[in-house]
Amino acid sequence: MFRMSFPPPGRQRRVGTLLAVVCVSTLVIALGEPSGDDTATATSASARPPSTARPSTAPEVSPSPRSTAPARRTPAQRLDILGRAKKWNLSGSSASEFAQDACDMADETDSRPDLAGESVAQALAMRTASADSGKDALRAGIPVLCPKWTKALKASLSGQYDRWITDDTYDIGTEPSQIPPGTYRTAGDISDCYWERTAANGDVIDNGLVTAARRITVHISASDSTFTSDNCGVWTPIH
């Protein structure tokens, strides 16, 4: 009779354990060992606490543009706008340029009247007469660009201002380039001065040649045609 024999129980456990070890070893060889980086990454990821930050619900606010007030125009700019609107003819100059030139001329005349040979009002009158719209430009420009000469401008526009006489020949009259009748005087260290009054026909009414003097006075009549001065300094009216 055939008899089956079994290993003792202790041997069975040893065989089972051996089989388990062989299976695990085979699985490790087939899959490969985990790398150190993967282990660290996995550990780091598992160790990181879950984020508790809540998404921001506040609406985004865009910066508001700065409110800028319009730049204020200068007196010169306002004067130029007026000149263009009125279509002033100023011989190619803008209204501010024309008026500023008159301001500078007045300052220079006032600082050195002996060299200028004319009063401030006389200088402004000559500037006014140099362009068709000169009166308009100076009437609007002098009070805002050089207000200290406003009074002199009013005198020049009225025609009631002092005219000074230097070395030249002048017609007698009331225009800016003319000399009104009246009594005139020159003073200082005068030497070799010649002056002359003539009639409309060219005849000499009166004249004088002064070799040396401290003061000379001459009366010019309304009937005179011209007055000539040479090397006599500056003649100013006597009121």
Side-chain angles (χ1 to χ4, degrees):
M1 195 173 172
F2 177 76
R3 177 183 290 178
M4 294 180 64
S5 63
F6 296 92
R11 187 177 178 184
Q12 288 179 352
R13 285 193 299 270
R14 285 195 298 271
V15 171
T17 300
L18 180 59
L19 290 175
V21 170
V22 171
C23 291
V24 170
S25 298
T26 303
L27 181 62
V28 169
I29 293 172
L31 297 179
E33 295 183 359
S35 63
D37 292 342
D38 294 340
T39 304
T41 302
T43 304
S44 175
S46 62
R48 185 179 300 134
S51 174
T52 59
R54 296 181 178 179
S56 175
T57 58
E60 294 185 0
V61 179
S62 59
S64 58
R66 295 182 179 179
S67 59
T68 56
R72 296 184 60 183
R73 293 188 177 96
T74 65
Q77 290 172 333
R78 293 195 295 270
L79 183 61
D80 287 337
I81 292 173
L82 178 62
R84 289 192 294 269
K86 298 290 185 179
K87 297 182 180 180
W88 289 341
N89 181 4
L90 299 171
S91 301
S93 299
S94 67
S96 62
E97 291 171 344
F98 189 88
Q100 186 60 57
D101 183 71
C103 292
D104 297 339
M105 184 184 299
D107 289 338
E108 185 177 355
T109 299
D110 184 62
S111 64
R112 293 300 303 272
D114 54 328
L115 294 179
E118 58 185 359
S119 65
V120 172
Q122 189 176 3
L124 293 177
M126 295 296 292
R127 183 59 176 161
T128 298
S130 66
D132 294 340
S133 304
K135 288 184 179 180
D136 295 326
L138 294 194
R139 190 181 286 113
I142 294 293
V144 296
L145 297 184
C146 51
K148 67 178 180 179
W149 299 125
T150 301
K151 185 177 180 180
L153 175 66
K154 290 180 178 179
S156 71
L157 294 176
S158 69
Q160 303 299 318
Y161 58 91
D162 289 344
R163 277 85 177 263
W164 298 358
I165 302 172
T166 55
D167 290 349
D168 206 344
T169 297
Y170 299 85
D171 291 333
I172 307 306
T174 58
E175 296 297 324
S177 60
Q178 297 176 334
I179 298 301
T183 301
Y184 294 82
R185 177 177 294 164
T186 181
D189 295 329
I190 303 169
S191 61
D192 300 327
C193 162
Y194 177 77
W195 59 268
E196 178 182 284
R197 295 166 54 207
T198 61
N201 61 3
D203 291 345
V204 176
I205 300 172
D206 194 6
N207 66 352
L209 176 60
V210 182
T211 57
R214 296 289 300 172
R215 180 180 299 174
I216 305 173
T217 302
V218 171
H219 179 75
I220 300 174
S221 300
S223 58
D224 292 356
S225 176
T226 63
F227 178 79
T228 299
S229 175
D230 183 24
N231 202 37
C232 297
V234 179
W235 303 80
T236 58
I238 300 174
H239 300 288

